[in-house]
Every structure is written in C-alpha cells, then in structure tokens.
Amino acid sequence: MSSEPARPDPVRHRDHGTWLVQFTGRVLVVCPRCGGRALVVPLPGTAAPKYFSELLFQPRRLACAGCGAVADRTAQERGAGLVGAVPGGTEDPFFRRPLWLQTRCAGRILWAYDEEHVDALAAYVGARLRERRASPTMAMFARLPAWMKSAERRDEVLAGLADLRTLAGLSAPADRSDAAHERGDRPRHHGSVLFRGGPF
C-alpha cells in the first residue's frame, strides 16, 4: 500500500462553499507612499479568528518593506457593533488601496488578494469538471463572472493567473502592473455588523 498522500485531481474541482473572505487574511496592495508592493495583515498581537468571517472586523496593518510605510486601521463603529469590511473588486477591503495582483485578461481585469487566492482560482478554472457541494449564495466560485468560468477562456485566464503568480514575487515600484491603479469599483454597500464581546 502506497504511503504517498493523495494528490488533488487537476481535472475535477469540488466546491465546498469557499468564501472570498477566507482569502482576506493576507492582501498584497500597492503602497500609498512608494507604489511598490505592500502587505495588509491583521495587526500584530490580534488573536487568530475563531470563524473566518471575523477577518472582516479585525484591526489591520498595512506595511511596505520597500519604503517602510506603515498604517493601521480599526473597524468603524456603529452603535455597540463594529462594521465589517466588504471584500470584492480591485481594491483591498480595508485600506481601499489598489490590489498589487492585477493584470489585463480577456479585455477585463483579473485580480487576486495573494498567492493562495491565485492558486484557488487556478484550480477551479483549470478543472474540466466542477462539482458544487454547498449553497452558491456566498460561495466565491459560484459568483465568479461568466468569462472566468467559460471553457473557451480557460487557457487565457490560466495565463493571466500565471502572470499574477509572477507578480506576487515582485515588489519594486517598477514591477507594478499597469492594471494596478485606482478604479473605485469596490462594493460600497454597508458591511455586516459584529456586536462586540470578543478581542476587538
């Protein structure tokens, strides 16, 4: 009997209801000072979330290793609760900075939060058979635009995702994609509210 771990099937993708918020723990953005790659993460010392939805309420830090820029953010308060960030679009949900991982693809903009997000999208796009194991209401894959899910665009989208994976390893202002600029296309509806009783 083989002791090798089972490898994921590259032809089949099983969607167990992954939400976009699950990829907001680490977001690569354009630095507001130098234009290089900066990183948005939970503020150091913040407790690990019990539920991934808590990522939208955690205090955040934007830090650039290139120029030393640092900025902190805490969730807006509404009465006794905290207003959660709203993921989606080509800005990060916390500081509203353009995402570092953006590229032009199929006449549109392809984006991701970090390398893990790129890998998840590539696994879905590259699969010939896609199975849904959860409600599509909030699931990320079910809500992807049709052009990303089209078999006719598969090779083009995979090439775009490969470009994003390369961008993730670059950090200088000169490495910035020409697609990574402000568009203001992040959803503007009110975020969810967390009534405090936890660490925030």
Side-chain angles (χ1 to χ4, degrees), residues 8 15 17 21 25 39 43 78 83 104 110 122 157-158 168 179 196:
D15 179 10
V21 64
L39 184 62
L43 198 66
R78 184 187 300 160
V83 180
R104 301 185 190 282
L110 181 64
V157 175
L158 288 174
R196 284 178 288 187

Side-chain angles (χ1 to χ4, degrees), residues 75-95:
Q76 175 188 349
E77 295 184 13
R78 184 187 300 160
L82 298 176
V83 180
V86 182
T90 59
E91 297 176 345
D92 91 271
F94 307 100
F95 293 89

Side-chain angles (χ1 to χ4, degrees), residues 40-148:
V40 174
V41 293
L43 198 66
T46 302
K50 184 176 181 181
Y51 304 103
F52 61 78
S53 57
E54 293 176 19
L55 288 166
L56 298 178
F57 302 92
Q58 288 182 323
R60 293 282 168 150
R61 172 162 291 172
L62 182 155
C64 177
C67 72
V70 175
D72 291 342
R73 173 198 181 272
T74 55
Q76 175 188 349
E77 295 184 13
R78 184 187 300 160
L82 298 176
V83 180
V86 182
T90 59
E91 297 176 345
D92 91 271
F94 307 100
F95 293 89
R96 298 184 182 177
R97 293 298 304 154
L99 298 176
W100 180 258
L101 299 184
Q102 297 188 59
T103 190
R104 301 185 190 282
C105 180
R108 298 165 176 87
I109 301 297
L110 181 64
W111 57 268
Y113 287 145
D114 69 353
E115 303 91 330
E116 183 184 0
H117 191 190
V118 171
D119 290 344
L121 291 171
Y124 176 83
V125 172
R128 265 50 178 185
L129 177 62
R130 298 164 182 165
E131 299 177 357
R132 183 182 298 159
R133 298 292 182 92
S135 166
T137 305
M138 296 298 293
M140 176 181 73
F141 298 115
R143 297 164 67 90
L144 289 175
W147 65 271
M148 284 186 67

Side-chain angles (χ1 to χ4, degrees), residues 4 12 17 25-26 33 38 59 73 83 109 129 175 179 195-196:
E4 292 185 12
R12 184 188 302 266
R26 180 176 180 274
R33 181 191 292 173
R73 173 198 181 272
V83 180
I109 301 297
L129 177 62
D175 298 326
F195 290 96
R196 284 178 288 187

